[in-house]
Each structure stands twice: as C-alpha cells, then as structure tokens.
Amino acid sequence: MDQQPMEPVEPANARGGRLRVFLVDDHAMFRAGVRAELGAHVEVVGEASTVAEAVGRIPVTAPDVVLLDVHMPDGGGRAVLETLRRTHPQVRFLALSVSDAAEDVIGLIRAGARGYVTKTIAPDELAAAIRRVADGDAVFSPRLAGFVLDAFASRSDTPVTDPELDQLTNREREVLRLLARGYAYKEIAKELFISIKTVETHVSNVLRKLQMSNRYELSRWAADRRLV
C-alpha cells in the first residue's frame, strides 16, 4: 500500500482546543522546566534543541505559538524565524531569552516575533503571554517595549557597529552583561545553565579580547555601552 505524505496537524485555535506550544531551546533542563510549569495551561506538542530540528519539526506539529530562545548555535532564534515566517504565517513566535539587550529584542522583532519576554518571567505570566500572542497581540515587558518603540521611531535599518563589541560571541555578551550587573560566577552559571568553569573561560576570553585586566573594568565598559 502506498503511503500518503504526512499532513500537518490543524492548529488548536481552529479546533477550539488548548493552545499548542512548541519549545525551542538548547538547554534540556530549561525545556523540562517550562514543560512542567506550562502543562496545566497549554499542550506542549514538541521541542527542539537546534535550529535545524526546529525548522523540521515545527511545520509537522503545527503549534499555535513557538517559544523561541534567542542565542543558539547556527543562527539561533532569528534563523528559525527567517526560515519559517513566510511559509508558515499562521504560527506565532514568542522569544523567551535570558538576554534583555536592545539589539536582541529589536533583531527578533524585525525578524517576525510577536513578542519578547525574559526567562525571569513567572509561569502564570508566561502562560498569559502565550495566550495573548496566539490572539495576535504583541507582548513585551515595559522595558523591552521601550527598546522597540525607540528603534522603530528612528526609522533606521542601519546597524550601529562597535568593533570591540563585535569581537565577542553571543554567549560572551550574555556573561559580560550578567557580570556587569554584579552577578557572581556561580549565579551566572545557574542563570545560563552552564558550568562555573565555562563562565570562567568566557570571562577570560572577554578580558583578553577587550585587553582588560579585571571585572571592574569590564563593568564600566559594559555600562558605557548601555549593555547592563
């Protein structure tokens, strides 16, 4: 018997059922925590830890909302958005990230995300944000909304370049931002789901690239660039 090609599942909104949510994050422990917290509110229909996996699975599972991490290998959340937003316009994307940097927020919104919240959000607030995004609303915290308004009010797509900042990887920027806020290495490791040794390696790399000798110089440098 010939097999028929698999048809995507009809979104829950069209059937009147619970909202269908797909998780994209490269940390398994974080995905497990989100599943546990959201289980009473939505139906988690799938998850992915890489860009390629997300691009392959999201069309098949047909979620109403995708919770999308910003910083992952191979382009992160923006790569997923840019691949799927034109071919699957019915899917809404809500960025869920440790980063609250203006460049990350603006980049994801320009790529097509309907909202952007940080991983410090409470579970009930996240569930409410998902429902609002599924209904077509845009969802941001007040601070992040200010970034978006400022960016689009300027009506400029010309990126602001900083040769020193451009030397750093996305993960190094995250570590630097938390370090400048006064986080201890142990707290940074917990926040980013990485080991303390990895945090130390990232800090060492940042110090070397920026030719600085201690975290206090890094903190001032980050504050001058409004990264904190």
Side-chain angles (χ1 to χ4, degrees):
M1 180 183 296
D2 293 336
Q3 289 187 331
Q4 297 298 319
M6 182 182 296
E7 293 291 335
V9 181
E10 186 180 15
N13 279 355
R15 304 190 311 272
R18 288 205 301 170
L19 287 174
R20 300 167 57 85
V21 174
F22 192 101
L23 309 178
V24 181
D25 194 289
D26 58 348
H27 294 105
M29 289 181 61
F30 179 77
R31 296 198 309 273
V34 172
R35 279 201 314 274
E37 296 289 356
L38 291 180
H41 304 281
V42 303
E43 180 183 359
V44 179
V45 296
E47 59 184 67
S49 61
T50 67
V51 171
E53 190 178 7
V55 168
R57 297 199 62 201
I58 288 171
V60 176
T61 54
D64 300 299
V65 177
V66 175
L67 286 182
L68 190 63
D69 192 15
V70 177
H71 296 307
M72 299 187 299
D74 302 321
R78 185 163 186 167
V80 176
L81 268 166
E82 290 175 343
T83 302
L84 294 178
R85 65 173 182 169
R86 292 184 178 86
T87 57
H88 296 81
Q90 77 281 6
V91 179
R92 313 277 188 176
F93 292 87
L94 173 61
L96 177 61
S97 175
V98 69
S99 171
D100 62 358
E103 65 267 24
D104 289 332
V105 178
I106 295 164
L108 265 289
I109 298 308
R110 282 182 170 152
R114 293 292 303 175
Y116 193 117
V117 295
T118 62
K119 289 181 177 180
T120 57
I121 191 171
D124 57 338
E125 293 175 344
L126 179 57
I130 291 170
R131 287 192 295 271
R132 289 179 58 193
V133 167
D135 289 339
D137 293 339
V139 179
F140 308 94
S141 70
R143 169 178 161 81
L144 303 188
F147 292 155
V148 177
L149 290 173
D150 289 346
F152 286 93
S154 68
R155 299 186 178 182
S156 173
D157 292 325
T158 303
V160 177
T161 60
D162 185 327
E164 290 185 302
L165 186 60
D166 289 344
Q167 296 179 77
L168 307 182
T169 66
N170 287 330
R171 182 61 87 191
E172 288 168 353
R173 294 186 193 191
E174 290 176 344
V175 170
L176 171 60
R177 190 173 295 114
L178 294 175
L179 191 72
R181 291 176 181 171
Y183 281 54
Y185 285 7
K186 182 178 180 180
E187 294 171 323
I188 296 173
K190 183 179 179 181
E191 184 75 16
L192 299 181
F193 300 93
I194 57 180
S195 70
I196 295 176
K197 182 65 176 177
T198 301
V199 173
E200 292 173 347
T201 299
H202 285 314
V203 172
S204 177
N205 289 339
V206 172
L207 286 169
R208 174 179 51 81
K209 290 179 179 180
L210 299 180
Q211 299 181 3
M212 296 181 187
S213 58
N214 57 62
R215 65 179 294 167
Y216 303 105
E217 291 182 358
L218 286 178
S219 296
R220 289 196 299 271
W221 186 90
D224 289 343
R225 284 159 176 77
R226 302 176 66 183
L227 298 178
V228 180

